[in-house]
Amino acid sequence: RTKYLLFISLPVALMLWLVPQELLYACYGKRWMKAAPMLQVLAAAGALEALRVGVEPVLLGCGRSRAIFLLNLLQLALLATGATVAALVLKSTVGVAWALVASIGIPCAIGLSLAMRQVGVRPVELLRALRPVGVGLLVMGSVVALVQLVRPGLRMGLGELLRVRGAWLIGASCLGALGYLLSVARLDPSMIRDLLRLSGLAGPETS
């Protein structure tokens, strides 16, 4: 389950991290472009949240409901402390977003360690299972970064420039998504088959 959650959520988080200004301009207009740094941080928070959601059912199935309660309590304490310091002392909205990342990431790391210990999974086995997604993300990020580098430099107003960059972004996203899917399908064909069955696009396997 965790692998499938990461398969879907991590590419979205990567795009939000790589091209936040273009996405904000295309979706909400020029006034929202200043929120790009916060969008990048929240993308990281979303990726960690997807991992945390996958870890909790494992702990619950192993009878570690008390551990889940304590981890959620730790998350609340970290978020309250970090957000208060960032807002009142540092006066930084991006700092509040980073506090959210820390409040998710630290309990998630502890919960993942506990879950792996309960089911007897070694770190190398986890990395091996997530390798197709990691390679796909590397391919996708490389395609988007390459398109961002080689696109023609144009002298124009900010709005027109961002519209042109948005057009390049659409092309880069399509190419990156294709590279991502092909990479995952090459390294882990069963994941694609399972996702097609879950979405109803493929029939059940016959024995």
Side-chain angles (χ1 to χ4, degrees), residues 135-181:
V135 173
L137 290 174
L138 181 61
V139 172
M140 182 179 185
S142 300
V143 170
V144 175
L146 182 62
V147 171
Q148 288 286 86
L149 287 175
V150 302
R151 71 177 186 270
L154 301 172
R155 294 184 178 181
M156 55 184 63
L158 177 62
E160 188 178 355
L161 174 62
L162 286 173
R163 281 194 294 273
V164 172
R165 290 175 67 181
W168 280 85
L169 172 62
I170 293 174
S173 301
C174 293
L175 289 175
L178 180 61
Y180 177 73
L181 291 173

Side-chain angles (χ1 to χ4, degrees), residues 60-191:
L60 189 61
C62 295
R64 300 299 298 271
S65 57
R66 185 171 183 272
I68 295 175
F69 171 76
L70 292 175
L71 288 174
N72 287 332
L73 196 63
L74 175 61
Q75 179 177 350
L76 179 61
L78 289 172
L79 179 59
T81 304
T84 300
V85 171
L88 300 181
V89 179
L90 302 178
K91 300 186 185 303
S92 170
T93 53
V94 177
V96 175
W98 276 116
L100 176 62
V101 172
S103 70
I104 297 174
I106 294 175
C108 180
I110 298 173
L112 180 61
S113 177
L114 290 174
M116 291 172 60
R117 191 180 308 166
Q118 288 291 323
V119 298
V121 175
R122 295 178 300 170
V124 65
E125 294 173 336
L126 178 65
L127 293 176
R128 189 182 298 119
L130 296 179
R131 184 171 68 93
V133 174
V135 173
L137 290 174
L138 181 61
V139 172
M140 182 179 185
S142 300
V143 170
V144 175
L146 182 62
V147 171
Q148 288 286 86
L149 287 175
V150 302
R151 71 177 186 270
L154 301 172
R155 294 184 178 181
M156 55 184 63
L158 177 62
E160 188 178 355
L161 174 62
L162 286 173
R163 281 194 294 273
V164 172
R165 290 175 67 181
W168 280 85
L169 172 62
I170 293 174
S173 301
C174 293
L175 289 175
L178 180 61
Y180 177 73
L181 291 173
L182 290 177
S183 300
V184 175
R186 176 68 178 83
L187 295 172
D188 191 356
S190 63
M191 179 186 292

